[in-house]
């Protein structure tokens, strides 16, 4: 089993990422039961500069999942 299996995970690919790399990103996201893959439309290599909104949203989503898990015990 993957060490990521129970962890929340968001993998973000730039819009112009090569298809083979996008598949690798999808596979990485799939290592977690709570993983998801997002393509940052309108983004080049520097997603954090081109789409900071997407980065913030992904971070907040992961934080929310961690908090919910902590509350469940």
């Amino acid at each position: 089993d993957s060490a990521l299996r129970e962890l929340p995970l968001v993998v973000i690919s730039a819009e112009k990422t090569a298809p083979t790399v996008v598949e690798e990103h999808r596979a990485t996201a799939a290592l977690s039961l709570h993983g998801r893959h997002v393509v940052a439309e309108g983004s080049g290599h520097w997603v954090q500069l081109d789409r900071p909104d997407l980065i913030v949203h992904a971070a907040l989503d992961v934080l929310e999942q961690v908090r919910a898990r902590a509350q469940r015990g």
Side-chain angles (χ1 to χ4, degrees):
D1 270 5
S2 168
L4 299 175
R5 188 144 183 88
E6 294 297 325
L7 297 177
L9 176 65
V10 179
V11 180
I12 301 173
S13 301
E15 183 176 40
K16 297 178 182 179
T17 302
T20 55
V21 176
V22 170
E23 286 307 314
E24 290 174 11
H25 291 176
R26 284 190 182 120
T28 299
L31 294 174
S32 169
L33 294 172
H34 312 284
R36 66 186 176 96
H37 175 250
V38 176
V39 175
E41 294 182 18
S43 167
H45 179 75
W46 299 98
V47 177
Q48 71 274 23
L49 298 177
D50 296 334
R51 292 292 312 275
D53 60 307
L54 195 59
I55 302 298
V56 170
H57 182 74
L60 290 173
D61 182 42
V62 168
L63 179 60
E64 182 178 313
Q65 290 182 54
V66 168
R67 285 181 175 162
R69 185 176 175 179
Q71 288 177 351
R72 288 190 301 267

